[in-house]
Amino acid sequence: GLDPWNAAVHSGLGSLHYSEGEFDEAREAFARARECQPGISVHEYHFGLALRMTGRAWEALEYLRNAIEYGLRPELACYAFYSSGQILEQVGGRADFDPYYRRASELASRPVLEFWRGILAKSRLVHRVELRRFINSISAADKVKPPPAEEDVF
């Protein structure tokens, strides 16, 4: 059976649920990973994304900020800043979102873009629109050619 105190197992299970569009289950698994290993940036990041996908945007913002503060690798930090900006802009209707988008753009190196393009190529439809919007946003900032049109990715 599953080791109830193995954060990696719960995180992997959460990723599987997330990739299948099972966001409530993903949120529960990521919450368990956080309980097993508190203060780990990637657990905060995943939990924040799952909260966002289950309509709990303001809570998500708190965990994405924690993840950034605890230190994420550049690929994940880039998306955490972008997602935080989206929450502030779309859900909150606030004007203080620009610094988050700016920071995401600053982190948008070629390796970061290639990482996310690889994720896009393997993603299920439920994530494709959001990922494409994100990649196009950071590509424009980096003056890097955007990914191929949607029909070319399949």
Side-chain angles (χ1 to χ4, degrees):
L2 292 178
D3 177 354
W5 292 104
N6 187 328
V9 168
H10 294 292
S11 185
L13 184 60
S15 294
L16 177 63
H17 285 301
Y18 194 94
S19 72
E20 294 295 323
E22 300 165 349
F23 301 117
D24 288 319
E25 294 85 351
R27 186 187 70 236
E28 291 172 18
F30 292 139
R32 186 72 183 123
R34 287 184 66 251
E35 290 172 19
C36 294
Q37 239 182 347
I40 302 298
S41 61
V42 74
H43 299 324
E44 299 289 306
Y45 169 80
H46 285 136
F47 186 61
L49 293 180
L51 283 169
R52 182 174 181 219
M53 296 305 287
T54 57
R56 296 166 61 180
W58 288 117
E59 288 177 79
L61 187 58
E62 174 187 346
Y63 291 98
L64 290 171
R65 285 176 173 165
N66 287 348
I68 291 165
E69 181 181 323
Y70 296 163
L72 285 170
R73 65 183 208 226
E75 300 90 351
L76 302 183
C78 186
Y79 192 65
F81 276 108
Y82 177 83
S83 295
S84 297
Q86 282 199 315
I87 291 168
L88 290 170
E89 179 181 20
Q90 297 170 355
V91 179
R94 297 182 39 187
D96 57 349
F97 58 84
D98 191 53
Y100 289 89
Y101 288 146
R102 191 175 314 114
R103 185 66 182 125
S105 296
E106 290 169 0
L107 291 168
S109 65
R110 289 189 189 278
V112 167
L113 287 165
E114 291 308 313
F115 171 84
W116 284 109
R117 288 178 181 153
I119 296 293
L120 176 65
K122 296 183 266 184
S123 292
R124 300 202 182 275
L125 188 57
V126 70
H127 306 293
R128 297 181 74 74
V129 173
E130 171 67 19
L131 286 175
R132 178 162 300 288
R133 187 177 303 124
F134 165 65
I135 291 169
N136 286 338
S137 172
I138 64 173
S139 292
D142 193 43
K143 309 281 189 290
V144 176
K145 183 179 167 226
E150 187 70 32
E151 59 271 8
D152 297 336
V153 177
F154 292 107

